[in-house]
């Protein structure tokens, strides 16, 4: 019986977690509360501090400031093994001098669990991950996907309170990555443990996570469900980092309920006048008949066909570049002159600092 | 047609160059190795044959008197034992101590480790031969002159091993030790069960370096021992040369016999020996 | 990087659940544990290092300021030993001999090694055999090597004079005052050329191949490739070899003792040889012995520092 069995509060609480190396700030006062069983993705470009945060939670690095609570216990001063967490590393970190069975059973053996129980648990995890046939092999005799599974298995056999995963799929080829993604989600549903998953791949984060923590430069930009992050990005960074192709952004001014910049278009009346950045997702850009109300004349520079969709790279008369996402069957041709419309209800507005302005759409 | 001819000329040219290189290298190798054949030859001749001119190029019939002399009438076997005993002890101790120090320098953040490392680098090249005055007075002050300890302890000071081990251990992926930490291993267990098995090739190279250096070392053993019982091979041979009168047959037999073990080692561990040459590059 | 724990609670916000003092105490404890751990791992080797290397270096300084013998009763004489050093015939001769020795042997070793390496790196077959043969003399203890050479340089029946006679020349007294130091240096070349040859081979193999292919396309001759590619690319490596080979050369002792007993006269008495004589000879000049030791140590330290600066330069001030 671990103390966590009767605990019912948040699984993980981060309070003002900061990390400095000398004068360089890698993490700046991160606050986060994770509910039990949640699948959280730490998403961001490389160097954003997401891996550092994961290492701090695991206890592999020391905090400069703040507190980490795991299952209600202050974890700052606990050794990694005392935190009841298991980690899957980017390069798997399998012990090359041990067989798959030894690798998976090692943490249990180290905590003094009887050999027959270790064997049973390893067998169980191996069959769950379809590794039964590989148990007596060494890591360098396995394929990338199999190594990945062994790394997972090593974490699973410990039945930890929290799973920590550091870009576990980034070394797999594209096909295998999609497959493992689904498998990880299945696994999470099955064992139901709190999971924190570091990735730089927005697709992974969007498809797998209950909530995404988007980071940049050591600062949390936004915390929310994938849908929230996509629909209401907190700032221009989030707007462009999530979504492919990224959101169109245009700098300009709001005057008399109109956006004036490289082009001129109507916006909802409630938007405050002043300097803004206007944003719209490519799929919300409408291609319309010339002469329609609020239509902007544009030329198609480039048509990228990606199967079901086609991406149009357009230039307006005011030399603004707009990306539109249209049906893959579209007959649009490069060099063609078209008209486009930016529906006011679909527009996002960001202030001079790049932060999202709250606009009451009803107004 | 012409392209084919060109190609043929090219191949011929390449072959000719390759042959030239073999010729020069063969000559160099011959010059470097000839002295060994010369001394082997001499060791199989009796004293009159050695001095005869022109020399015989093949020792037929071979004369084994020099070897008999060497093994039964000199302390050769004793010297050999001492050399092996000391070199093995130093190697085992040093591989252990150096790998531990290397682990600390590579993986543990403690105050002063940069300073320690710098000091080691700076003193890396200072030879034991330049320190014999204070070393002798210290070791004799400790009452260790004419003991095995006097031969074994001072060589442990050489920082090369710790520096090499640090380099090797720095090359290990950080996540491996992190995984071990999460698996609940103590710091010593990480060193013992994860790091040591993974740097085994490095350990073998280090062991080869230490053992051969020890096998060849002369200055300190000469000074640290005065008793015949404790003479190592190099010191014994030097003493034989200094006191025994000119006995070329015996000398050459001792030269041959002392090269046998190192030659066998070299043959078995050729790769590691050659890595010894590269250790220099790592010395930074 | 071990410092960050000290920055702990920068500005207490009241949201942390543990008091700042508690945080400070706990992180201090953890830091202390890490310190103890680091030093525990380091200590066994480091103690040996301090006792048998750092202390003797300092001891050399101490002894060099005193006069007297190993038997005891030494007294402080200040810098007298150093001031007298140039006038003590044995000592200055030892320094000169050692320098001349290094000046002959080091260039020969390195030029020879480089030449061998350039050939060895380019042959297609049989490289390992040559490596084995060329490296073999490296593994011969100096004492044994000297014994072999003692034999070969014998005036009456040695191999050298055999060759000289075969070529119709007059026998040479190899270990006489004229040639002894040179022979000693050549012996050193024989012992060390293989080591540096293989060192250079490794360096040459590590050079970027594309550069050579490009040069060949540009029509550069073999000599031009050597002159404008290989040598410039290996400049630092070669410099490293020069420094290390010199440092090793300055330590010559065992071969001199066995081959020539430092003679004839003091023709092959090297620095360490002289130190040894001063220590155990009748003269009992322990202070002078330490003074020349110190000169050797300081020379080596200076060479090491030059080396470090250079290597540091390569890594861009890391």
């Amino acid at each position: 019986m671990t103390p966590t069995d009767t605990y019912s509060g948040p699984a993980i609480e981060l309070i003002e977690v900061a990390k400095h190396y000398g004068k360089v700030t890698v993490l700046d006062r991160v606050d986060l509360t994770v509910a039990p069983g949640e699948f959280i993705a730490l998403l961001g470009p490389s160097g954003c501090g997401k891996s550092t945060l994961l290492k701090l939670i695991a206890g592999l690095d020391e905090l400069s400031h703040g507190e980490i609570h795991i299952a209600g216990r202050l974890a700052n001063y606990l050794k990694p093994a005392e935190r009841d967490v298991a980690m899957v590393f980017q390069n798997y970190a399998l012990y090359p001098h041990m067989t798959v069975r030894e690798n998976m059973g090692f943490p249990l053996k180290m905590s003094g669990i009887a050999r027959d129980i270790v064997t049973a648990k390893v067998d169980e995890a191996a069959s769950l991950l379809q590794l039964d046939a590989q148990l007596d092999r060494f890591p360098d005799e396995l394929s990338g996907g199999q190594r990945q599974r062994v790394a997972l298995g090593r974490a699973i056999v410990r039945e930890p309170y929290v799973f920590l995963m550091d870009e576990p799929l980034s070394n797999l080829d594209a096909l295998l990555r999609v497959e493992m993604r689904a498998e990880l989600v299945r696994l999470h549903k099955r064992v139901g443990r709190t999971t924190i998953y570091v990735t730089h791949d927005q697709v992974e984060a969007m498809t797998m996570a209950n909530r995404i923590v988007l980071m940049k430069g050591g600062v949390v930009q936004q915390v929310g469900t994938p849908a929230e992050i996509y629909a209401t990005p907190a700032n221009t960074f989030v707007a462009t980092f999530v979504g492919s192709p990224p959101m169109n952004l245009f700098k300009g001014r709001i005057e008399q309920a109109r956006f004036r910049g490289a082009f001129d278009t109507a916006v909802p009346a409630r938007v405050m006048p002043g300097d803004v950045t206007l944003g719209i997702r490519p799929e919300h850009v409408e291609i319309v008949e010339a002469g329609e109300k609020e239509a902007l004349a544009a030329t198609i520079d480039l048509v990228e066909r990606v199967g079901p969709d086609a991406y149009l790279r357009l230039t307006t008369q005011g030399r603004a570049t707009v990306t539109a996402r249209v049906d893959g069957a579209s007959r649009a041709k490069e060099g063609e002159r078209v008209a486009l419309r930016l529906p006011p209800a679909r527009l996002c507005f960001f202030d001079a600092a790049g932060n999202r302005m709250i606009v009451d759409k009803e107004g | 047609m012409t392209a084919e001819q060109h190609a043929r000329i090219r191949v011929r040219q390449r072959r000719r160059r390759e042959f030239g290189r073999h010729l020069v290298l063969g000559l160099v190798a011959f010059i470097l190795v000839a002295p060994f054949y010369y001394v082997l030859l001499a060791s199989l001749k009796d004293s009159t044959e050695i001095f005869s001119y022109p020399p015989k190029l093949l020792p037929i019939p071979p004369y084994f008197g020099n070897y008999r002399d060497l093994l039964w009438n000199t302390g050769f076997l004793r010297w050999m034992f001492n050399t092996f005993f000391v070199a093995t002890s130093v190697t085992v101790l040093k591989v252990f101590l150096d790998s531990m120090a290397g682990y600390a320098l590579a993986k543990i953040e403690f105050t002063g480790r940069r300073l320690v490392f710098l000091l080691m680098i700076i003193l890396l090249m200072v030879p034991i031969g330049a320190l014999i005055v204070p070393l002798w007075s210290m070791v004799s002050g400790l009452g260790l002159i004419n003991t095995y300890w006097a031969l074994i302890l001072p060589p442990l000071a050489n920082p090369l091993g710790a520096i090499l081990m640090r380099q090797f251990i720095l090359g290990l992926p950080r996540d491996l030790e992190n995984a071990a930490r999460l698996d609940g291993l103590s710091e010593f267990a990480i060193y013992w069960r994860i790091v040591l098995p993974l740097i085994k090739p490095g350990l073998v190279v280090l062991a080869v370096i230490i053992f051969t250096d020890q096998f060849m070392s002369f200055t300190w053993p000469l000074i640290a021992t005065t008793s015949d019982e404790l003479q190592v091979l190099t010191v014994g041979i030097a003493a034989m040369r200094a006191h025994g009168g000119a006995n070329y047959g015996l000398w050459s037999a001792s030269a041959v016999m002392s090269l046998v073990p190192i030659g066998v080692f070299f043959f078995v561990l050729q790769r590691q020996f050659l890595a010894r040459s590269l250790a220099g590059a790592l010395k930074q | 990087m071990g410092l960050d724990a000290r920055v702990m609670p920068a500005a207490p916000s009241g949201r942390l659940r543990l008091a700042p003092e508690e945080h400070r105490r706990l992180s201090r404890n953890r830091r202390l544990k890490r310190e103890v751990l680091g030093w525990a791992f380091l200590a066994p080797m480091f103690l040996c290092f301090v006792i048998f290397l750092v202390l003797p270096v300092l001891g050399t300084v101490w002894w060099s300021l005193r006069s007297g013998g190993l038997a005891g009763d030494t007294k402080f004489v200040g810098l007298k030993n150093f001031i007298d050093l140039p006038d003590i015939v044995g000592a200055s001769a030892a320094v000169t001999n050692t320098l001349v020795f290094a000046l002959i042997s080091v260039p020969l070793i390195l030029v020879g090694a480089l030449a061998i390496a350039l050939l060895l790196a380019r042959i297609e077959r049989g490289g390992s055999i040559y490596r084995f043969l060329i490296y073999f003399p490296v593994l011969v203890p100096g004492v044994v090597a000297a014994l072999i050479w003692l034999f070969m340089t014998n005036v009456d029946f040695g191999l050298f004079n055999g060759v000289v006679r075969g070529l119709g020349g007059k026998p040479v007294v190899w270990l006489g005052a004229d040639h002894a130091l040179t022979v000693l240096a050549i012996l050193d070349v024989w012992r060390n050329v293989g080591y540096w040859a293989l060192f250079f081979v490794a360096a040459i193999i590590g050079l970027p191949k594309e550069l050579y292919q490009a040069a060949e396309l540009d029509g550069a001759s073999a000599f031009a490739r050597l002159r404008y590619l290989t040598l410039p690319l290996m400049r630092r490596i070669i410099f490293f070899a020069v420094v290390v080979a010199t440092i090793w050369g300055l330590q010559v002792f065992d071969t001199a003792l066995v081959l020539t007993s430092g003679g004839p006269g003091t023709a092959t008495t090297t620095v360490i040889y002289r130190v040894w004589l001063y220590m155990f000879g009748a003269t009992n000049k322990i202070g002078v012995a330490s003074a020349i030791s110190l000169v050797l140590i300081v020379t080596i330290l200076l060479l090491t520092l030059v080396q470090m600066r250079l290597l540091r330069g390569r890594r861009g001030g890391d």
Side-chain angles (χ1 to χ4, degrees), chain C residues 90-170:
Chain C
S92 51
V95 172
T96 317
N97 287 341
T98 306
L99 287 179
V100 171
F101 170 86
L103 229 55
I104 302 173
S105 64
V106 173
L108 285 178
I109 290 172
L110 295 182
V111 171
L114 203 54
I116 294 173
L118 287 170
L119 294 172
L120 201 49
R122 293 208 63 182
I123 60 167
E124 288 156 25
R125 255 183 241 178
S128 63
I129 298 170
Y130 290 124
R131 271 171 228 227
F132 184 86
L133 294 178
I134 287 170
Y135 198 75
F136 204 78
V138 176
L139 297 169
V140 179
V143 172
V144 176
L147 213 53
I148 296 173
W149 277 59
L150 190 60
F151 208 170
M152 295 197 300
T153 53
N154 185 291
V155 178
D156 299 321
F157 55 87
L159 179 66
F160 284 11
N161 276 345
V163 174
V164 170
R165 273 197 213 98
L167 295 173
K170 274 189 182 166

Side-chain angles (χ1 to χ4, degrees), chain A residues 50-51 88-92 144-145 148 165-178 180-181 184 197-201 204 208, chain B residues 175:
Chain A
K50 54 192 192 299
S51 286
V88 180
F89 294 88
Q90 183 173 5
N91 296 311
Y92 318 137
Q148 173 60 60
M165 305 195 184
D166 189 2
E167 310 225 13
L169 306 185
S170 64
N171 285 343
L172 301 179
D173 60 55
L175 212 65
L176 205 52
R177 203 178 312 163
V178 174
M180 280 306 288
R181 212 158 70 195
L184 274 177
Y197 185 101
V198 164
T199 179
H200 65 269
D201 180 346
E204 276 180 23
M208 297 166 78
Chain B
D175 279 347

Side-chain angles (χ1 to χ4, degrees), chain B:
Chain B
M1 226 345 231
T2 47
E4 207 172 289
Q5 276 173 338
H6 268 296
R8 212 174 297 154
I9 291 171
R10 268 255 184 91
V11 168
R12 209 176 302 150
Q13 221 171 26
R14 219 184 61 202
R15 279 208 193 127
R16 205 177 305 147
R17 282 198 192 136
E18 170 88 356
F19 180 73
R21 289 190 195 106
H22 277 282
L23 209 64
V24 177
L25 283 174
L27 192 68
V28 169
F30 174 77
I31 291 173
L32 289 176
V33 176
F36 296 114
Y37 181 68
Y38 182 68
V39 81
L40 177 68
L41 207 64
S43 73
L44 294 170
K45 294 175 179 175
D46 63 24
S47 47
T48 53
E49 273 179 316
I50 288 182
F51 297 118
S52 71
Y53 188 86
K56 276 206 287 181
L57 288 180
L58 284 173
I60 300 172
Y63 170 73
F64 292 107
N66 295 321
Y67 289 94
R68 211 178 310 131
D69 229 18
L70 180 73
L71 294 181
W72 309 129
N73 299 336
T74 72
F76 188 84
L77 289 174
R78 178 81 208 178
W79 305 336
M80 201 53 129
F81 168 79
N82 287 339
T83 288
F84 268 82
F85 178 73
V86 172
T88 308
S89 311
V90 171
T91 305
V92 170
L93 279 171
K94 207 158 167 43
V95 165
F96 188 62
L97 299 190
D98 285 350
S99 58
M100 261 173 61
Y103 180 74
L105 290 173
K107 295 290 187 187
I108 306 175
E109 283 166 11
F110 58 94
T111 327
R113 73 169 178 161
R114 274 160 179 265
L115 211 67
V116 167
F117 183 63
L118 195 69
L119 194 63
M120 286 182 174
I121 294 266
I122 289 174
L123 294 183
L124 175 61
M125 288 294 190
V126 174
I128 227 170
L131 302 173
I132 48 181
V133 173
L135 261 185
W136 188 90
S137 58
M138 182 193 290
V139 171
S140 73
L142 293 170
L144 295 178
I145 290 296
N146 275 331
T147 65
Y148 280 117
W149 290 115
L151 296 173
I152 292 169
L153 290 177
L156 299 180
N158 188 333
L160 174 65
I163 294 169
L164 275 181
M165 287 298 105
R166 172 182 173 273
Q167 212 79 7
F168 269 110
I169 294 170
L170 277 178
L172 295 180
R174 184 128 229 164
D175 279 347
L176 219 49
E177 102 208 45
N178 280 338
R181 217 155 269 152
L182 277 158
D183 284 348
L185 265 69
S186 70
E187 214 58 35
F188 186 80
I190 292 177
Y191 158 76
W192 189 253
R193 310 185 68 141
I194 308 294
V195 171
L196 280 193
L198 292 181
I199 58 164
K200 220 182 260 164
L203 295 177
V204 176
V205 170
L206 180 63
V208 165
I209 294 175
I210 299 170
F211 193 90
T212 39
D213 281 2
Q214 220 38 53
F215 191 88
M216 296 200 274
S217 85
F218 173 70
T219 313
W220 177 245
L222 172 72
I223 286 156
T225 55
T226 52
S227 107
D228 291 350
E229 290 292 287
L230 283 163
Q231 277 178 344
V232 296
L233 188 62
T234 49
V235 176
I237 289 176
M240 183 171 77
R241 142 88 169 117
H243 306 304
N247 186 341
Y248 285 93
L250 190 63
W251 293 354
S252 28
S254 72
V256 172
M257 285 298 284
S258 39
L259 293 179
V260 167
I262 211 87
V264 170
F265 265 139
F266 184 33
F267 196 76
V268 176
L269 292 171
Q270 214 189 124
R271 214 154 38 87
Q272 283 78 6
F273 265 96
L274 297 182
R276 197 176 156 254
S277 207
L278 309 183
L282 286 165
K283 275 177 186 169
Q284 17 158 327

